[in-house]
Amino acid sequence: MAENQQSYEYTEANIKTLEGVEHIRRRPGMYIGRLGNGSNPGDGIYVLLKEIVDNCIDEFSAGFGKQVIIKIENNEVSVRDFGRGIPLGSVVKATSQLNTGGKFDDKVFKKSVGLNGVGTKAVNALSEKFYVESFRDGRSSWASYERGELTGSGVKESVSEKNGTLVVFTPDSEMFGSYEFNMDFVETMVKNYSYLKKGLALNLNGTVYKSENGLLDLVKENMSETPLYEPVHLQGEDIEIVMTHGNAYGENISSFVNGQNTRDGGTHLAAFREAVAKTLKEYFKKNYAPEDCRQGIIGAISIQIQEPNFEGQTKTKLGSTYMWEKYKTDANGKKIQNPDGSLEIDRGPTIRSFVNDFVAKNLDNYLRMHLDIVPVIEEKIKASQAEREEISGIQKKTRERNKKANVYNRKLRDCRYHFGERMPKDKEDLAEKTSIFITEGDSASGTITKVRDANYQAVFSLRGKPINCYKESRKRVAENEELNLLISALGVEDDLDNLRYNNIIVATDADDDGMHIRMLVLTFFMKYYPDLIRRGHVHILQTPLFRVANKKERRYCYSSEEKEEAVKALKTNVQITRFKGLGEISSNEFVDFIGEDMRLDLVKLSDEESISEIMEFYMGDNTIERQNFIRANLKSEEELEDVNI
């Protein structure tokens, strides 16, 4: 190591300045989070789309333009708004120069989503082709780019187009690989925009989305069960909330800031959850536990704040503490200094106090005016309390029994992240990478344990098949050793916010037993912890079905189509091996499958999907419909067996 360091010559030649948008292409994760291929709603191609649409939303919020037209075809995206349009002399600067934009001036954009002067530039830099044209008062200014490099620009002196901006881009396959837009994800994004911006019409590939009742429409249209009472809809300056209760487990609360869907929550969602529980406790004058007040809650919160601070460039979690926060200035616009040289800061109310005060006043008033729903809510709280206390006692006894038997050490191989042992300096950066593999059998768990990155990857080993939670009572599930240990390992006994791993990865064999175990585990999460799925924490590990090799090369294939392509590419003396279980894959091969290029299928559960109907279809009594589904999706044995060519 020392010899290598001594031989490395560090001179002025090593100092580099990345011009324009080159830094974005070198470090895309800093600007859009993950890249991905479009199979996850958090993948980069959706962030690119969102950044452009956000600009249109900001125009509408400022009072300009009531329509946005979005077209996606063959991975080319077109977005047209009818706002003011970019000032014609600044089109190139606004789309290619970092930290350049109109949103730094809060007189123009008081409550926008994008304030960092990066969004459109990131889209430009990460697109194969990018075209922008701004229309203003019968004239237009345009610019075209390839991978962030300007290829042309100009001004048209006479156009008939209405004022606004047109952006057309194609995400770069060099960055995103073989990607594809999932239109279900795009439709959800567009719908959310319409719910949050009443009166705005969004046209997606010819279908218009427009809401007249805001968040109330969102909650009603996405509800998968009959609520216990009509949703409460409260609106105020810079805040809107909707809430009701259902009989499902968990909490299903959507949250938004300045029109941005903060799927990972943040300070505003935490304040809302706290405020609802506190207000109900004070209304009933009883010390109900917060989790009982919120059990089965369905709702949404949207707030508007100035210069929001999001955690990460993807803006999915609000980190701001105050409703607004800025430096104080004198009459000449100069920042005012404190005696110690620091700058004076002018702050608004905290988000926590703002949300708490609004909910405490308005929800309390609503309950006093709608007395018919009061006993319904209290009955729901009492039922949750009774079940929780019974289950808590059973789980405690089960855990104590397991501790005495030292079962924990045999089931969970934890990661160093939670203990700080020999951790790298950037421990905080590993938080999003923390993962737990849920697998079955000593062979598979042993293989994963041997090759995992112990800094942030943990392994939980199931013993055989867990019980079918859909068919069992909550009490019976609480008595189950396997599931109790899993709950403890995840850290979600009391609150999902205590989740110890960002990624829960179900890793089972690709045979009948493995698929059955996978369904049993997913049924457990869907019934009792659906929010883990809604928040994007639950995944299925893809492992290769085939190894295709000749004397010079070997390839791992995850489908029959990939296998056929590999056979054609390797041509002669090809040997094909079909993997039937994780334990069959040697550790020196398996290390590649859970590394940086690990393939994960996100388990998705949209709000409008009925959990009970899904579980009934897959895990209920055998039916003709399910038999037909299995037959339609059954692979032939010849397709899956080992083949030698």
Side-chain angles (χ1 to χ4, degrees):
M1 183 73 175
E3 290 178 0
N4 289 337
Q5 289 177 337
Q6 290 171 1
S7 62
Y8 180 80
E9 190 175 354
Y10 183 51
T11 68
E12 285 81 0
N14 302 113
I15 307 299
K16 299 183 183 298
T17 300
L18 300 182
E19 300 292 340
V21 295
E22 185 180 356
H23 188 267
I24 300 176
R25 291 186 64 84
R26 292 277 192 96
R27 299 287 187 271
M30 292 178 60
Y31 299 91
I32 65 167
R34 57 186 292 160
L35 288 172
N37 61 3
S39 61
N40 186 301
D43 284 350
I45 59 173
Y46 305 110
V47 178
L48 301 188
L49 171 61
K50 182 184 69 62
E51 290 289 352
I52 300 302
V53 177
D54 280 346
N55 293 333
C56 308
I57 300 301
D58 288 338
E59 281 294 305
F60 173 79
S61 298
F64 302 93
K66 295 183 178 180
Q67 183 184 22
V68 178
I69 300 174
I70 305 168
K71 297 178 182 178
I72 301 178
E73 186 176 1
N74 298 325
N75 289 335
E76 181 183 84
V77 180
S78 169
V79 181
R80 171 73 157 99
D81 72 27
F82 297 88
R84 289 163 291 186
I86 303 169
L88 299 188
S90 300
V91 168
V92 172
K93 283 199 302 183
T95 54
S96 62
Q97 293 184 18
L98 290 180
N99 304 313
T100 302
K103 298 178 185 177
F104 295 105
D105 182 356
D106 63 9
K107 295 177 182 177
V108 181
F109 294 94
K110 292 190 69 175
K111 292 167 184 174
S112 64
V113 175
L115 290 171
N116 51 22
V118 171
T120 303
K121 273 71 74 175
V123 182
N124 183 0
L126 300 176
S127 296
E128 292 178 11
K129 293 185 178 180
F130 180 94
Y131 177 84
V132 58
E133 186 167 4
S134 175
F135 305 96
R136 276 197 161 198
D137 304 323
R139 301 174 69 234
S140 77
S141 177
W142 64 273
S144 61
Y145 302 83
E146 290 185 4
R147 297 185 169 92
E149 295 292 329
L150 184 67
T151 57
S153 64
V155 174
K156 299 177 183 178
E157 294 297 339
S158 179
V159 295
S160 59
E161 289 276 353
K162 293 181 179 180
N163 286 2
T165 303
L166 169 68
V167 172
V168 183
F169 69 93
T170 303
D172 190 357
S173 57
E174 287 185 4
M175 307 300 297
F176 299 99
S178 179
Y179 67 88
E180 183 178 3
F181 281 94
N182 183 319
M183 294 309 295
D184 289 339
F185 297 160
V186 177
E187 183 182 356
T188 298
M189 180 193 302
V190 171
K191 280 184 177 180
N192 285 339
Y193 279 123
S194 71
Y195 296 134
L196 293 160
K197 298 297 177 182
K198 289 182 287 186
L200 174 64
L202 295 111
N203 184 320
L204 174 61
N205 287 350
T207 301
V208 178
Y209 299 90
K210 187 176 181 180
S211 171
E212 300 298 337
N213 301 298
L215 287 190
L216 183 61
D217 287 342
L218 181 150
V219 172
K220 282 189 171 183
E221 292 180 22
N222 288 345
M223 210 152 357
S224 61
E225 60 175 310
T226 302
L228 298 179
Y229 54 91
E230 275 296 303
V232 178
H233 187 200
L234 305 173
Q235 300 180 78
E237 185 176 357
D238 295 332
I239 186 170
E240 180 181 3
I241 70 168
V242 177
M243 63 160 282
T244 184
H245 281 84
N247 283 317
Y249 288 94
E251 303 172 22
N252 185 6
I253 307 173
S254 302
S255 64
F256 304 86
V257 176
N258 295 7
Q260 165 64 31
N261 182 4
T262 45
R263 65 174 183 271
D264 293 326
T267 51
H268 60 318
L269 179 58
F272 179 54
R273 296 174 70 239
E274 175 189 342
V276 168
K278 183 179 178 183
T279 301
L280 292 177
K281 287 167 60 178
E282 291 180 353
Y283 181 88
F284 292 116
K285 295 181 172 59
K286 295 178 182 176
N287 192 29
Y288 290 129
E291 56 266 39
D292 295 327
C293 295
R294 297 191 300 260
Q295 182 66 273
I297 194 172
I298 306 165
I301 176 172
S302 171
I303 66 171
Q304 303 284 324
I305 67 177
Q306 289 189 30
E307 302 193 16
N309 173 34
F310 295 98
E311 296 183 10
Q313 280 292 331
T314 52
K315 304 171 185 172
T316 57
K317 186 174 183 179
L318 181 66
S320 298
T321 302
Y322 299 93
M323 291 295 291
W324 47 268
E325 187 174 15
K326 58 185 178 181
Y327 293 115
K328 289 184 178 180
T329 58
D330 58 23
N332 297 318
K334 185 178 180 181
K335 294 177 181 177
I336 301 174
Q337 287 189 333
N338 292 310
D340 63 358
S342 62
L343 297 175
E344 279 195 45
I345 298 177
D346 190 15
R347 293 188 175 97
T350 65
I351 290 173
R352 183 171 180 263
S353 65
F354 174 77
V355 174
N356 262 285
D357 291 347
F358 176 81
V359 173
K361 176 183 177 181
N362 292 277
L363 180 56
D364 183 86
N365 288 342
Y366 189 95
L367 294 175
R368 296 185 189 283
M369 294 173 63
H370 299 79
L371 296 176
D372 56 314
I373 72 171
V374 170
V376 178
I377 295 175
E378 187 163 30
E379 183 180 348
K380 172 64 179 176
I381 295 173
K382 288 180 177 179
S384 174
Q385 180 184 46
E387 183 182 53
R388 179 181 55 80
E389 289 175 349
E390 179 185 23
I391 299 307
S392 179
I394 295 172
Q395 289 177 331
K396 185 176 180 181
K397 290 179 181 178
T398 304
R399 292 191 188 108
E400 288 299 322
R401 184 175 67 249
N402 289 332
K403 284 181 180 178
K404 291 179 181 178
N406 199 27
V407 177
Y408 281 93
N409 293 337
R410 300 200 303 269
K411 305 293 293 183
L412 175 67
R413 282 87 165 181
D414 213 343
C415 57
R416 297 189 187 113
Y417 177 85
H418 293 299
F419 304 103
E421 299 175 2
R422 302 184 300 280
M423 287 295 297
K425 292 181 180 180
D426 60 345
K427 176 180 176 180
E428 292 303 318
D429 295 337
L430 291 179
E432 291 190 3
K433 297 175 68 175
T434 52
S435 305
I436 182 169
F437 294 94
I438 301 174
T439 189
E440 187 273 331
D442 294 337
S443 178
S445 63
T447 300
I448 296 179
T449 301
K450 185 176 180 180
V451 301
R452 65 175 174 147
D453 187 326
N455 283 322
Y456 60 91
Q457 291 179 329
V459 181
F460 183 90
S461 177
L462 292 169
R463 186 186 64 216
K465 295 181 180 180
I467 63 172
N468 184 347
C469 296
Y470 178 61
K471 293 184 177 181
E472 298 290 350
S473 68
R474 184 73 174 97
K475 179 180 178 181
R476 175 78 176 85
V477 173
E479 293 171 338
N480 182 264
E481 176 185 287
E482 295 287 302
L483 296 180
N484 251 297
L485 291 169
L486 178 57
I487 293 170
S488 180
L490 296 176
V492 295
E493 300 101 317
D494 301 317
D495 196 317
L496 291 190
D497 287 344
N498 297 328
L499 180 65
R500 301 175 72 240
Y501 309 95
N502 189 50
N503 304 299
I504 302 168
I505 303 171
V506 183
T508 58
D509 290 342
D511 57 13
D512 290 345
D513 284 341
M515 295 299 174
H516 191 205
I517 292 170
R518 176 190 298 177
M519 286 303 303
L520 291 169
V521 173
L522 294 181
T523 299
F524 167 68
F525 286 128
M526 278 196 292
K527 185 166 184 179
Y528 296 114
Y529 297 94
D531 289 355
L532 290 177
I533 297 177
R534 290 193 181 101
R535 296 180 187 181
H537 292 297
V538 183
H539 308 264
I540 294 170
L541 176 67
Q542 285 191 36
T543 51
L545 295 175
F546 306 96
R547 179 177 59 221
V548 180
N550 59 22
K551 292 182 179 180
K552 295 182 178 180
E553 184 182 352
R554 63 183 177 185
R555 297 187 182 185
Y556 298 97
C557 308
Y558 292 77
S559 66
S560 297
E561 291 75 20
E562 288 188 16
K563 178 194 70 175
E564 295 305 322
E565 290 178 6
V567 169
K568 291 179 181 178
L570 299 186
K571 296 180 180 178
T572 58
N573 298 318
V574 176
Q575 183 182 49
I576 303 175
T577 303
R578 156 75 167 139
F579 296 118
K580 294 185 177 181
L582 301 182
E584 290 184 352
I585 305 175
S586 64
S587 57
N588 65 325
E589 290 179 296
F590 204 95
V591 66
D592 296 326
F593 309 140
I594 61 171
E596 292 296 328
D597 297 325
M598 175 168 53
R599 294 198 194 186
L600 297 176
D601 287 331
L602 176 69
V603 179
K604 299 183 290 290
L605 184 65
S606 63
D607 291 334
E608 64 268 20
E609 287 183 304
S610 171
I611 294 175
S612 59
E613 290 179 5
I614 293 173
M615 290 191 294
E616 174 62 32
F617 180 81
Y618 287 104
M619 306 306 292
D621 295 332
N622 200 6
T623 63
I624 293 297
E625 289 79 9
R626 187 164 70 189
Q627 291 176 24
N628 290 337
F629 174 82
I630 293 172
R631 291 191 186 101
N633 291 274
L634 190 65
K635 298 288 186 182
S636 66
E637 190 64 24
E638 291 80 4
E639 185 179 25
L640 300 178
E641 284 300 315
D642 292 6
V643 180
N644 290 311
I645 297 178

